[in-house]
Amino acid sequence: MLLKVLGSAAGGGFPQWNCNYRLSRAVRRREEGFRPRTQSSLAACANGRDWVLFNASPDIRSQIDATPELQPPQEGKLRGTPIRAVVLTNADVDHIAGLLSLRERERFVIYATARVLEVLEQNTIFNVLDPHYVERRLLPLGGVIPIADSDGQSTGILVETFSVSGKIALFLEDAGRANDGFGTEEGDTVGLRIFEADVGSSAFYIPGCAAVDGNLKARLAGAACLFFDGTVFTDDEMPVAGVGSKTGKRMGHLQISGAQGSMALLADVPVARRIYVHINNTNPILDERSSEHQEVRMSGWEIGHDGMEIRL
């Protein structure tokens, strides 16, 4: 199975369109040690032909432009796509807005939890995805499901879903329920195990996660690859940078550093490759010359970038 990181940044990308923080200024100037990044998404293919996207970011058109495998075949018909399905991990704008760019009457399937399907149903703008062409299928929580195309043909990829600690999408927050997670419910954020039938190796995709517990560590043990939430290096990173008031915890994201950060909490979990994705534009690991970048690399983590390939 081939996995390709289409987008490795958090919402807004890197640089974010309106951000004038030092890291965004540096990447705009194309300084050494800085790479532009688009918003979070992953693609997988098990048979060399049929592709499955995991989340559809607002940058999906440019991501397809940068990925020949996702483009119409050179000798194919006038309209076509090798994208057979899109699997959603939550209803964040940076994970569902790209669906609107896939509205040109191509057949593919959307897989999502009941909670996320409800969001799509209630926001009628998503009706531009003609249901005659784009079927929505339930992604059951806690189960394994084969990802199939619109004709029911297997893509060769299976997905196991599991709840992770997270937060309801920003545009759905109920301010009156601030002490109750702003209305967060099970199914708002999920993690995925991605694998092939009869193949032992698995990849985990968890671009949003607010906490690591014993159950998650046990689940990840022995994985061939882990793509994990790398939004912020420190919990108070955005307030300290002066670009916002929200902490990582308030946004539903676990910090990387410190005794209660993901780097320390996952240090004893046996994983062959561990890769941070969904990296915010304030995160100092985006500067490849920084001490934070070196600390992450020395601890055995890789820092995801657009176009990164992993073959299982």
Side-chain angles (χ1 to χ4, degrees), residues 169-193:
L170 175 63
F171 65 95
L172 296 174
E173 285 186 359
D174 181 351
R177 300 178 63 184
N179 296 327
D180 184 29
F182 297 93
T184 300
E185 297 181 13
E186 188 176 34
D188 277 321
T189 303
V190 297
L192 303 174
R193 180 169 75 99

Side-chain angles (χ1 to χ4, degrees), residues 278-297:
H278 199 274
I279 306 166
N280 195 56
N281 55 71
T282 55
N283 194 324
I285 68 173
L286 292 170
D287 178 358
E288 296 174 7
R289 302 164 299 181
S290 69
S291 60
E292 293 89 350
H293 183 100
Q294 299 306 317
E295 181 183 352
V296 167
R297 298 290 286 121

Side-chain angles (χ1 to χ4, degrees), residues 34-292:
F34 290 87
R35 307 187 198 205
R37 287 168 163 85
T38 59
Q39 295 169 86
S40 176
S41 183
L42 182 73
C45 182
N47 58 17
R49 181 185 65 250
D50 302 314
W51 284 84
V52 177
L53 304 189
F54 296 90
N55 294 326
S57 91
D59 297 319
I60 193 167
R61 194 191 68 80
S62 63
Q63 291 169 346
I64 292 172
D65 284 348
T67 311
E69 298 94 329
L70 300 182
Q71 299 167 9
Q74 286 288 328
E75 303 303 323
K77 56 186 180 179
L78 290 177
R79 295 288 181 96
T81 179
I83 298 170
R84 306 302 180 210
V86 179
V87 182
L88 303 174
T89 62
N90 61 24
D92 285 349
V93 168
D94 50 319
H95 287 161
I96 65 173
L99 292 172
L100 301 177
S101 295
L102 301 179
R103 66 187 182 277
E104 307 296 345
R105 294 195 170 193
E106 288 295 339
R107 294 188 181 279
F108 68 94
V109 181
I110 297 171
Y111 286 87
T113 64
R115 281 283 285 172
V116 175
L117 289 178
E118 181 183 8
V119 172
L120 300 182
E121 180 69 25
Q122 292 176 350
N123 286 266
T124 56
I125 191 171
F126 290 101
N127 290 343
V128 298
L129 295 162
D130 187 337
H132 179 72
Y133 295 90
V134 181
E135 183 183 351
R136 302 176 188 180
R137 294 179 185 164
L138 179 66
L139 195 64
L141 267 177
V144 174
I145 185 169
I147 304 302
D149 66 15
S150 59
D151 294 322
Q153 298 298 308
S154 174
T155 63
I157 292 174
L158 292 90
V159 165
E160 180 181 14
T161 62
F162 51 94
S163 290
V164 294
S165 177
K167 186 184 70 63
I168 194 170
L170 175 63
F171 65 95
L172 296 174
E173 285 186 359
D174 181 351
R177 300 178 63 184
N179 296 327
D180 184 29
F182 297 93
T184 300
E185 297 181 13
E186 188 176 34
D188 277 321
T189 303
V190 297
L192 303 174
R193 180 169 75 99
I194 307 167
F195 61 105
E196 298 176 75
D198 304 320
V199 176
S201 57
S202 297
F204 285 84
Y205 186 51
I206 311 174
C209 187
V212 170
D213 59 18
N215 288 335
L216 180 59
K217 293 173 68 170
R219 184 184 295 276
L220 298 177
C225 185
L226 167 64
F227 298 95
F228 195 78
D229 185 347
T231 305
V232 292
F233 191 75
T234 57
D235 187 56
D236 61 353
E237 179 176 297
M238 288 181 61
V240 169
V243 300
S245 60
K246 291 182 179 179
T247 62
K249 184 177 181 181
R250 169 64 179 83
M251 297 186 295
H253 297 288
L254 178 66
Q255 69 195 56
I256 291 174
S257 65
Q260 296 305 309
S262 59
M263 195 161 50
L265 293 174
L266 294 171
D268 60 346
V269 179
V271 175
R273 293 184 68 175
R274 52 191 74 207
I275 303 166
Y276 280 123
V277 292
H278 199 274
I279 306 166
N280 195 56
N281 55 71
T282 55
N283 194 324
I285 68 173
L286 292 170
D287 178 358
E288 296 174 7
R289 302 164 299 181
S290 69
S291 60
E292 293 89 350

